[in-house]
Amino acid sequence: MAEVASRLSGADPVLRLVLRRILLSLVSFFVISAVIFAAVEILPGDTAQRALGREATAESVAILRNEMGLHDPAIVRYGRWLGNVVKGDLGVSMVSKRPVADTLAQPLRHTFLLGALVLAIHIPLSLFIGVSCALTRDGPLDLALSALVLVAMSVPDFVIGIFLIVVFSVELGWLPPLALIDQANSWTEALWMLVLPVLALNAAMTAYVVRQTRDSMIEVLNSDFVRVARLRGLPPVRILLSHALPSALGPAINAIALNAAWLVGGIVVVEAVFNYPGLGRLLVEGVRFHDVPIIQAIALILSGTHVALNLAADIATTLLSPKLRTQTS
Amino acid sequence: MSPGKRFAEPVATVPLAPAGARRRAVGDFLARLPPAARLALLLLLAAVAASALAPWIAPFSPIEIFVGSPLEPPSLVHLLGTDTLGRDVLSRVLYGGRTALLMSGSAAALTVLVGGGLGLVLGYSGGLVDEIGMRVLEIVASIPSVILALLVVGALGPSIPVVIVTVGLLAVPSSTRVVRAAALAFVAEDFVLAAKARGESRFAIAWHEILPNVAGTLLVEFAIRTGWAVILIGALAFLGFGAPPPTPDWGAMINEGRGALDASIWPVVAPALAIAALVLTVNVLTDGIARALGPAR
Amino acid sequence: MISSALPSPEPLVAVEGLTVEYRHQTGWRPVIRDLDLQIHRGEAVGLAGESGCGKSTLVSLLLGENRPGRRIAAGEIRIEGEELFGLPAARLRALRGRHIGFVPQNGGTSLTPTRRIATLFDDVLRAHRPELDAPARRARAHAQLAAVGFPDPDGALVRFPHQFSGGQQQRIALALALASEPGLLLLDEPTTGQDAQIRRGLIELLWQIRRRSNVTLVFVSHDLLTLADLCDRIDVMSEGRIVESGSAAAILQAPAHAYTRRLVAAVPRLDEPPPWRNRDRPEAGRLDTNHGGLGFFRAIQP
């Protein structure tokens, strides 16, 4: 695989590294698709039987089995499914009988919006707090946040969401408890509904990145090159932003990637908490009604996003580290 | 799944004292726990006792409906009020502790059993088996756990054993990685090489020589996985894929009470606090155990 | 240049009665005791002493560095008549880099790994030479790298620190310290851990720099011979004090203090071959000495 990558990219080491990572991610994605297929189809129980429920007659089950091609061996069905997915055909929902792609379009946009909002706040906020902690090391801010880390890491996301609803919707009445943004009348109303879900996911994610950023920043601030930059009389802001931060970002970005990956799962649960009309809620409904094509498609999209996020973080880390970037071998 | 799993990182390998000192290490283990962890241990024991004694200390049956009127506020009779079906919230929370502790404890035990075994085998065999095994586990681990858990539990239909086995197996890849790393530190040790020279079987070596040395890692792993399982099982129950009703389950209670939050917050807040407190306690204890077993600072 | 070659009544650096203490488990322990030191413009002063004698602490203090767990119990440091401690932060920054150039012990770890060499020069010149525009800064960086012996400064400027050898990194650190044309150059054991060839190259370079710019040098090292090659005066430090001060020749040939005698005794002698050398060919030992020695010092002195 490395050979393919190197032939594709010629001599440029960065490009080669990036291509290698992309190829590895594609392999992961391929295996993941197999696992998802297996989890839904090969497990005991019959898809057609489950889809129709216990009361279904043997005859109707048999008809459905035929329709769905369930008589073929699993490997053939997997190949057919993957081939269709690659062609962009996600199948037809067994419940609504609509094409899966149509059913998914709107929830996908919603989930993407929620995830993007969460990350847009999460990344700068947690980096800022982490750096602040490092700069005021062992001060009151640092100690308070360090103590919060353990607590925030321990409270499950859906519990955080519930607490937020209890406090801000039920007791204070400031914010809507549900985020039914498809029923919102205006953009502002929709944004207002998004406050609590975004807050819930951020509360669950921030602590970890803050801790990683703080630790790596403290290490960098104690490094020789930061000391020498100070002794060269450089302005503090420049030392912080140009000399210390780039070196401290590597571990922080890894932490953010882990978080973003976690977000893919967390969003499923938090969407359920706020009845948010996204992929997560659709997935839970799909599982409840055994809507296999829907389940497979959503699981594939979410896992693929997960892989892509990890890939992006990997590449960002590589580009931030001159040593990796200029590696000649 | 939740950020709780991140406690795996600081304790990737826990170096243990050599065999001779091990017994002593276990002896003064409690003394070496940080104060916060000792408090957590105490609280956890209290929680275990409370759920074990639930049939005797719970004021009402957890499943009997209309022991009070629906959604009563906390009173002397119903200390935490009643839920939508007039069930006593305190009793349900106490019995829910049983469900949570039993399910997550069993899931974590399964994880450590399977993951520990795999880790020992892979760490000891090395080579191609190890390489392929780790790659496969890595990829499986890269599917978000909530999603995979939903798929499997959804396909098999939610029941207590299904949830335990699914959640237990889902954590196997990361446990395997940790235990394998710990085992790798010993495969080249003299006592392992000596056992090999004596012609002992692989199984005997893994069992007698390596296992005792990774016992600390397994303990920490078990603690980590318990906290993680509480969260994942809670989330599954919240989504409607946990122990089937009317089993008292914290995640399910939170879900059931959500619709009536305007009328009473207690049926939701009580189990939510319980689940948060349990995970926090387990995580503080885990942190303490890892520190106590780790090298002295 | 801010300093002139002529000696002025106020020394460039004046340390008076300086006592510095480090925090210890039981209390404060002095590392510098009642130390007096004067450095005049144009001088090259060597600070000798074993590790732990307080010489690195002294360098750090000359740069106005404040570290947790360290305090000045008594005395003061004046640079060009200005009391160093208590200076406003902006003035202290101007002093560092602009007036005092600093070359650290480890050139490699002192260069920010994520920044190209050109950017490192840019940082220094922006901070201390605001009158220079981008092309002028570039030209200055180019000239500095050429001056420390880089045959292809343009190529070097676009590279990252890790792409250079240890000796090259040390020379880049030197060029950076000199970029803003400071009047005083502080070198904290820059040759420690380098091989003989790099050490000799660096000494030669410093000689050229002195000849060109008349910069004042403070060179810290535990190696008397390196100091003798470069410095007009050597101050020997021991246990936080300067125990002896004199010309390089005087220190090496007639050490007065017992500690200096021990230091000198540890130096490979120039007039007899080191014991591991071939006794049949004493000349080989003399000419081929690893340290350059006084011969090198005399040959290169203008």
Side-chain angles (χ1 to χ4, degrees):
Chain A
M1 191 147 52
E3 267 172 51
V4 179
S6 74
R7 215 174 304 144
L8 280 172
S9 59
D12 184 23
V14 186
L15 202 56
R16 195 163 60 214
L17 210 72
V18 169
L19 277 176
R20 199 182 129 81
R21 295 272 154 84
I22 291 177
L23 284 177
L24 277 174
S25 297
L26 282 176
V27 172
S28 307
F29 187 62
F30 183 73
V31 178
I32 287 171
S33 72
V35 173
I36 288 172
F37 184 85
V40 182
E41 303 235 351
I42 301 182
L43 284 168
D46 184 295
T47 314
Q49 176 74 58
R50 280 201 307 262
L52 294 172
R54 289 217 182 90
E55 305 82 27
T57 60
E59 195 180 338
S60 57
V61 170
I63 292 170
L64 188 62
R65 282 180 65 88
N66 239 349
E67 243 173 60
M68 295 170 72
L70 291 182
H71 293 295
D72 299 325
I75 189 86
V76 174
R77 282 182 284 136
Y78 171 64
R80 196 162 53 212
W81 174 64
L82 196 66
N84 286 339
V85 167
V86 170
K87 277 184 284 182
D89 175 12
L90 294 170
V92 175
S93 161
M94 286 160 51
V95 175
S96 69
K97 308 291 177 204
R98 286 170 58 209
V100 172
D102 295 353
T103 317
L104 291 189
Q106 188 70 6
L108 182 65
R109 269 199 293 279
H110 288 155
T111 294
F112 184 77
L113 173 70
L114 178 57
L117 273 176
V118 169
L119 286 181
I121 292 173
H122 169 67
I123 294 172
L125 181 76
S126 48
L127 287 181
F128 178 78
I129 299 178
V131 170
S132 306
C133 281
L135 291 177
T136 63
R137 189 182 177 181
D138 295 334
L141 173 75
D142 184 29
L143 292 179
L145 281 164
S146 296
L148 259 179
V149 163
L150 201 63
V151 178
M153 276 176 152
S154 300
V155 184
D157 39 24
F158 66 99
V159 173
I160 293 179
I162 287 293
F163 282 142
L164 286 175
I165 292 178
V166 167
V167 173
F168 291 102
S169 304
V170 178
E171 297 297 324
L172 297 171
W174 291 353
L175 292 159
L178 298 181
L180 302 164
I181 66 163
D182 45 352
Q183 294 164 28
N185 296 316
S186 65
W187 263 104
T188 46
E189 196 186 339
L191 273 180
W192 203 234
M193 290 173 168
L194 279 162
V195 172
L196 285 186
V198 169
L199 215 58
L201 284 165
N202 261 312
M205 288 161 67
T206 304
Y208 178 60
V209 177
V210 165
R211 181 149 93 173
Q212 292 292 313
T213 311
R214 173 192 178 271
D215 291 354
S216 75
M217 193 69 189
I218 283 177
E219 200 186 317
V220 173
L221 286 177
N222 286 332
S223 72
D224 201 25
F225 61 84
V226 168
R227 174 185 179 235
V228 171
R230 273 194 211 111
L231 295 182
R232 282 195 194 114
L234 303 188
V237 175
R238 167 132 303 215
I239 295 177
L240 182 65
L241 295 182
S242 307
H243 291 256
L245 203 54
S247 295
L249 271 184
I253 285 186
N254 265 324
I256 289 172
L258 271 178
N259 258 342
W262 171 83
L263 177 64
V264 171
I267 220 166
V268 172
V269 180
V270 169
E271 280 185 6
V273 174
F274 295 96
N275 280 10
Y276 185 79
L279 285 185
R281 206 182 72 175
L282 198 59
L283 175 67
V284 175
E285 278 168 17
V287 172
R288 199 165 286 143
F289 298 116
H290 301 295
D291 196 342
V292 172
I294 291 269
I295 301 173
Q296 284 172 335
I298 295 178
L300 201 62
I301 290 173
L302 292 180
S303 304
T305 314
H306 186 169
V307 172
L309 285 170
N310 274 327
L311 174 69
D314 236 20
I315 292 174
T317 323
T318 308
L319 293 183
L320 268 174
S321 156
K323 259 186 200 157
L324 290 176
R325 188 168 24 166
T326 54
Q327 233 165 24
T328 39
S329 62
Chain B
M1 209 215 66
S2 159
K5 86 161 191 190
R6 288 160 189 157
F7 278 91
E9 282 166 46
V11 286
T13 54
V14 179
L16 263 197
R22 214 183 305 128
R23 202 162 296 137
R24 192 158 25 91
V26 173
D28 62 12
F29 173 67
L30 282 182
R32 282 196 290 152
L33 277 182
R38 255 178 280 167
L39 179 66
L41 182 61
L42 217 64
L43 287 173
L44 188 64
L45 289 177
V48 170
S51 7
L53 299 175
W56 292 275
I57 58 175
F60 294 94
S61 151
I63 53 174
E64 192 182 329
I65 57 174
F66 300 119
V67 296
S69 38
L71 300 172
E72 266 184 53
S75 65
L76 282 177
V77 183
H78 302 287
L79 287 175
L80 292 174
T82 57
D83 70 2
T84 38
L85 292 174
R87 293 174 293 197
D88 183 59
V89 172
L90 176 62
S91 306
R92 282 182 70 73
V93 168
L94 284 172
Y95 274 93
R98 289 186 141 195
T99 319
L101 285 168
L102 276 176
M103 286 178 79
S104 50
S106 323
L110 179 67
T111 303
V112 171
L113 213 65
V114 178
L118 266 178
L120 283 178
V121 168
L122 292 182
Y124 186 74
S125 25
L128 199 62
V129 179
D130 183 34
E131 177 83 12
I132 294 173
M134 288 316 290
R135 272 287 147 82
V136 169
L137 289 175
E138 211 171 85
I139 291 175
V140 173
S142 78
I143 306 177
S145 346
V146 173
I147 293 170
L148 202 49
L150 265 179
L151 298 193
V152 176
V153 174
L156 294 175
S159 72
I160 291 180
V162 164
V163 172
I164 289 176
V165 171
T166 307
V167 171
L169 291 183
L170 270 178
V172 162
S174 40
S175 263
T176 305
R177 195 167 56 215
V178 172
V179 175
R180 172 183 166 272
L184 271 183
F186 294 101
V187 290
E189 286 286 329
D190 286 344
F191 58 86
V192 175
L193 298 178
K196 215 185 267 182
R198 285 196 302 271
E200 288 184 21
S201 72
R202 287 180 164 217
F203 177 79
I205 291 175
W207 185 255
H208 294 297
E209 310 298 333
I210 299 180
L211 183 66
N213 283 296
V214 297
T217 307
L218 291 175
L219 177 63
V220 173
E221 209 31 46
F222 175 73
I224 290 172
R225 289 304 144 201
T226 306
W228 185 84
V230 174
I231 294 177
L232 184 53
I233 290 173
L236 283 174
F238 174 78
L239 294 174
F241 298 96
T247 315
D249 182 298
W250 293 340
M253 287 171 73
I254 295 173
N255 191 30
E256 287 158 14
R258 275 198 307 154
L261 265 177
D262 286 331
S264 172
I265 60 169
W266 292 103
V268 169
V269 169
L273 280 176
I275 204 168
L278 177 60
V279 181
L280 183 61
T281 307
V282 170
N283 282 351
V284 171
L285 183 60
T286 305
D287 214 38
I289 293 176
R291 267 169 219 258
L293 288 175
R297 299 204 176 175
Chain C
M1 299 297 313
I2 51 147
S3 60
S4 78
L6 297 170
S8 55
E10 171 73 32
L12 181 63
V13 177
V15 180
E16 277 171 20
L18 186 69
T19 299
V20 179
E21 298 173 335
Y22 275 99
R23 201 195 334 258
H24 237 255
Q25 280 154 340
T26 49
W28 294 86
R29 178 189 287 180
V31 276
I32 291 181
R33 306 158 200 244
D34 196 23
L35 182 138
D36 292 318
L37 174 70
Q38 292 201 340
I39 294 163
H40 293 276
R41 292 189 165 80
E43 260 190 313
V45 175
L47 273 177
E50 288 164 328
S51 50
C53 72
K55 54 192 195 317
S56 283
T57 303
L58 185 59
V59 170
S60 151
L61 287 163
L62 288 177
L63 285 156
E65 195 178 23
N66 211 345
R67 290 193 151 188
R70 182 168 86 187
R71 69 173 185 193
I72 297 167
E76 61 175 25
I77 298 176
R78 287 193 309 275
I79 308 255
E80 295 185 323
E82 207 170 3
E83 167 62 41
L84 195 56
F85 288 94
L87 277 185
R91 177 77 194 124
L92 186 62
R93 281 205 302 278
L95 208 60
R96 295 169 173 175
R98 176 64 188 88
H99 296 293
I100 310 174
F102 173 62
V103 180
Q105 177 171 350
N106 187 333
T109 58
S110 80
L111 303 172
T112 307
T114 49
R115 282 178 102 57
R116 292 175 198 275
I117 307 303
T119 347
L120 289 170
F121 275 101
D122 233 40
D123 288 338
V124 172
L125 293 171
R126 262 175 207 269
H128 300 300
R129 290 288 182 174
E131 73 276 10
L132 297 179
D133 59 1
R137 289 198 297 267
R138 176 90 186 182
R140 172 74 66 92
H142 190 280
Q144 288 296 339
L145 281 182
V148 296
F150 279 89
D152 173 24
D154 281 319
L157 279 171
V158 298
R159 286 154 82 189
F160 286 97
H162 73 271
Q163 294 171 291
F164 295 93
S165 71
Q168 288 172 323
Q169 289 170 339
Q170 196 59 269
R171 281 187 283 140
I172 292 170
L174 176 63
L176 277 168
L178 291 168
S180 56
E181 299 187 329
L184 173 64
L185 189 61
L186 285 181
L187 301 106
D188 187 5
E189 306 232 19
T191 55
T192 305
Q194 308 281 10
D195 67 35
Q197 212 175 350
I198 290 172
R199 181 159 51 211
R200 186 180 294 205
L202 195 72
I203 299 294
E204 197 169 344
L205 204 56
L206 288 169
W207 265 111
Q208 287 170 11
I209 288 160
R210 273 197 80 188
R211 219 167 6 198
R212 261 203 318 269
S213 68
N214 214 348
V215 64
T216 308
L217 285 182
V218 175
F219 195 111
V220 174
S221 177
H222 62 272
D223 175 10
L224 274 179
L225 281 176
T226 302
L227 295 180
D229 280 343
L230 183 69
C231 300
D232 312 324
R233 190 182 95 205
I234 295 178
D235 290 353
V236 180
M237 272 187 86
S238 173
E239 295 180 356
R241 290 191 184 86
I242 291 180
V243 293
E244 186 166 359
S245 176
S247 73
I251 295 275
L252 274 179
Q253 281 154 21
H257 193 272
Y259 177 75
T260 317
R261 278 203 288 274
R262 279 221 313 278
L263 265 191
V264 172
V267 169
R269 295 296 296 265
L270 301 174
D271 50 352
E272 61 184 51
W276 59 85
R277 288 197 182 277
N278 188 344
R279 286 185 181 276
D280 299 340
R281 295 170 54 229
E283 286 83 3
R286 201 172 292 145
L287 296 176
D288 202 26
T289 169
N290 270 336
H291 293 275
L294 281 173
F296 177 64
F297 163 70
R298 291 199 187 93
I300 200 163
Q301 198 173 28

